[in-house]
Amino acid sequence: MRIYCKIVAIVLCFGVLLLLYFFVGNAADEPPLKEVAKDNYFQASSGLGNIVSVDLAKKSHPVSQISQNQPRPKRKDSKVGSRGGNTRANVRKKSETVKFALKYVSPEEWMHLAVVACGNRLEETLTMLKSALLFSIKKIKFHIFAEDSLGPQFEKGLNQWPHPISSKFQYSIYSITFSVGNTQEWKKLFKPCAAQRLFLPVILKEVDSLLYVDTDVLFLRPMDDIWTFLKEFNSTQLAAMAPEHEIPKIGWYSRFARHPFYGVTGVNSGVMLMNLTRIRSTLFKNSMIPAGLSWEDLLYPLYQKYKNHITWGDQDLLNIIFHYNPECLYIFPCEWNYRPDHCMYGSNCKGAEEEGVSVLHGNRGVYHDDKQPAFRAVYEAIHDYPFEENLFQSLFFPLQTKFLDTVNTLCGRIPQVFLKQVEKNMRKVYEQRVVVHLRPPHN
């Protein structure tokens, strides 16, 4: 009888323990919350055109990187005593995680790059955009103005770029439009559609600052570096361009221009950095009326007055505007708009000799003919470079090899001018991607 009572008591105790287990629950077995959901995407809205979505969670992992530098929460803060208390703690933890993610995953400052492409400039433009992405640090929004027939081709080309590259940019494609004057006159002003650049402040009303480049431009260093010139503008400056030439006696404007132009040699508009907000809010002095005119109101009257005297179209109109408003213009050093004129008459860009070319401008079609093989070598090396391949093996070494065939040409005899910035910035990229920085051990 005594043994029977003991067995009953043991069974009752075991049953009580089971009941306590099921009623209290086991909060410790619940899986931890993830900091950022796998499908969390950021997609900015930019008016017209197609947008490339940027996956903030998958590749960069900004939250986990930053959290390494944050103090770890004490273990006792996450412990709870009941299922209800555990639920509240989980909600609070999730809320804190979301706030943390929003704080550090918000998109950084975007750079804006505009280009106008008509005719057979598709491949040339894609190569330019490719060069802008190779070394840049900040993300870029491309504003592509193109003939309607080219729009689908740009979409196809840009959408084929692999994710690590596509995550660095967004793009919008716009039709060619002119807000004032005769559309056909503007289209035929110089090269097809080139005058579109004059209307960027009017069309891109939501954009504060912008870098415009011609399709035949290549970036040999991060676009971030030219973007920083915006911070060097004084209170009256609203645009930046490089001189048309360094030597007045062989410059085109100083010898042949039949209209006013900026400074001694004029300026080249193939690379133009603009504070669009300032341009839209400024009244520009001019030779037509005593009062100033806004940018949009100035363009067509200026064209009507000088259309029989201008040779280089929209660039001439910009020279006329800044002739009367020189305080509004910031001047780039020549290495930021390096053209055949800087080497075909002898080397006359000291900045490029010392620092290397920063932005290469292959005007006169030199990327596609044999007149200046050094320019063509750079273009072909960037055009042929397959994304995600080793930069040194697939870009720099082929470029060096191509330059061996140009050393006896006018511009190829100074290869270091073309190669210095490329090599310098590829080393930076290599260090960022390959060199591993170990965390210091915890004491």
Side-chain angles (χ1 to χ4, degrees), residues 228-257:
T228 61
F229 281 113
L230 287 166
K231 297 179 181 179
E232 297 188 17
F233 285 10
N234 63 28
S235 59
T236 63
Q237 290 168 338
L238 46 76
M241 288 185 278
E244 173 65 20
H245 216 288
E246 301 300 304
I247 304 174
K249 65 181 181 180
I250 58 176
W252 192 92
Y253 283 107
S254 52
R255 291 186 294 164
F256 305 117

Side-chain angles (χ1 to χ4, degrees), residues 89-309:
N90 282 341
V91 171
R92 183 171 64 252
K93 181 179 179 182
K94 185 174 181 180
S95 175
E96 290 171 353
T97 300
V98 171
K99 289 180 181 179
F100 185 80
L102 289 176
K103 180 177 179 181
Y104 292 105
V105 181
S106 58
E108 61 271 33
E109 177 191 358
W110 287 78
M111 300 182 292
H112 293 261
L113 179 64
V115 64
V116 180
C118 291
N120 60 350
R121 299 296 181 121
L122 175 69
E123 281 299 316
E124 191 174 81
T125 305
L126 289 173
T127 303
M128 180 276 292
L129 299 175
K130 184 179 184 180
S131 73
L133 293 169
L134 283 179
F135 307 117
S136 292
I137 302 167
K138 294 189 182 77
K139 296 178 181 179
I140 307 174
K141 291 186 179 180
F142 297 142
H143 301 271
I144 304 169
F145 292 80
E147 292 174 313
D148 293 339
S149 60
L150 290 179
Q153 298 180 63
F154 273 113
E155 289 183 34
K156 180 179 178 181
L158 293 170
N159 291 339
Q160 288 177 344
W161 289 354
H163 174 74
I165 295 297
S166 66
S167 66
K168 294 179 64 177
F169 74 92
Q170 295 177 354
Y171 70 93
S172 296
I173 298 174
Y174 310 82
S175 297
I176 302 296
T177 55
F178 303 98
S179 60
V180 295
N182 186 290
T183 297
Q184 294 306 316
E185 281 187 294
W186 286 121
K187 282 187 175 181
K188 297 176 182 179
L189 180 60
F190 183 49
K191 293 180 180 179
C193 309
Q196 181 71 74
R197 83 185 78 182
L198 297 174
F199 294 86
L200 297 179
V202 180
I203 298 171
L204 302 176
K205 294 184 183 296
E206 303 303 317
V207 178
D208 175 70
S209 297
L210 178 83
L211 177 64
Y212 165 86
V213 296
D214 286 347
T215 61
D216 52 8
V217 159
L218 294 172
F219 293 87
L220 303 188
R221 66 187 292 178
M223 179 182 157
D224 308 65
D225 295 339
I226 194 170
W227 193 255
T228 61
F229 281 113
L230 287 166
K231 297 179 181 179
E232 297 188 17
F233 285 10
N234 63 28
S235 59
T236 63
Q237 290 168 338
L238 46 76
M241 288 185 278
E244 173 65 20
H245 216 288
E246 301 300 304
I247 304 174
K249 65 181 181 180
I250 58 176
W252 192 92
Y253 283 107
S254 52
R255 291 186 294 164
F256 305 117
R258 296 183 294 156
H259 57 78
F261 56 89
Y262 178 88
V264 179
T265 62
V267 287
N268 184 281
S269 61
V271 180
M272 185 177 180
L273 186 64
M274 294 178 276
N275 185 316
L276 300 184
T277 300
R278 288 188 179 183
I279 291 176
R280 286 188 287 262
S281 61
T282 298
L283 293 179
F284 293 88
K285 299 186 292 290
N286 59 88
S287 60
M288 296 172 289
I289 61 173
L293 289 170
S294 69
W295 186 267
E296 186 174 14
D297 292 337
L298 175 63
L299 294 177
Y300 194 63
L302 196 68
Y303 165 69
Q304 289 295 321
K305 179 174 181 178
Y306 291 102
K307 64 180 180 180
N308 295 324
H309 302 283

Side-chain angles (χ1 to χ4, degrees), residues 23-130:
F23 277 107
V24 173
N26 188 7
D29 290 337
E30 293 182 7
L33 289 173
K34 296 180 180 179
E35 290 182 329
V36 181
K38 288 184 178 180
D39 295 329
N40 181 24
Y41 288 89
F42 164 75
Q43 182 166 341
S45 59
S46 63
L48 303 174
N50 296 297
I51 305 299
V52 175
S53 296
V54 181
D55 185 343
L56 293 178
K58 291 185 178 179
K59 290 295 181 183
S60 58
H61 305 292
V63 173
S64 60
Q65 291 174 359
I66 295 174
S67 64
Q68 291 176 359
N69 298 324
Q70 303 297 324
R72 294 180 179 271
K74 295 181 179 179
R75 184 176 298 276
K76 67 178 182 180
D77 293 340
S78 61
K79 290 184 177 180
V80 292
S82 67
R83 180 172 294 276
N86 185 53
T87 301
R88 288 192 296 272
N90 282 341
V91 171
R92 183 171 64 252
K93 181 179 179 182
K94 185 174 181 180
S95 175
E96 290 171 353
T97 300
V98 171
K99 289 180 181 179
F100 185 80
L102 289 176
K103 180 177 179 181
Y104 292 105
V105 181
S106 58
E108 61 271 33
E109 177 191 358
W110 287 78
M111 300 182 292
H112 293 261
L113 179 64
V115 64
V116 180
C118 291
N120 60 350
R121 299 296 181 121
L122 175 69
E123 281 299 316
E124 191 174 81
T125 305
L126 289 173
T127 303
M128 180 276 292
L129 299 175
K130 184 179 184 180

Side-chain angles (χ1 to χ4, degrees), residues 290-353:
L293 289 170
S294 69
W295 186 267
E296 186 174 14
D297 292 337
L298 175 63
L299 294 177
Y300 194 63
L302 196 68
Y303 165 69
Q304 289 295 321
K305 179 174 181 178
Y306 291 102
K307 64 180 180 180
N308 295 324
H309 302 283
I310 58 178
T311 302
W312 306 111
D314 50 296
Q315 178 174 291
D316 290 347
L317 293 180
L318 290 168
N319 267 279
I320 296 168
I321 291 173
F322 290 111
H323 169 83
Y324 291 104
N325 301 271
E327 73 282 358
C328 294
L329 192 62
Y330 179 97
I331 298 298
F332 285 140
C334 53
E335 62 266 27
W336 293 97
N337 188 351
Y338 190 89
R339 286 160 280 121
D341 287 356
H342 289 116
C343 52
M344 61 188 296
Y345 304 117
S347 181
N348 55 55
C349 179
K350 297 300 180 184
E353 293 176 9

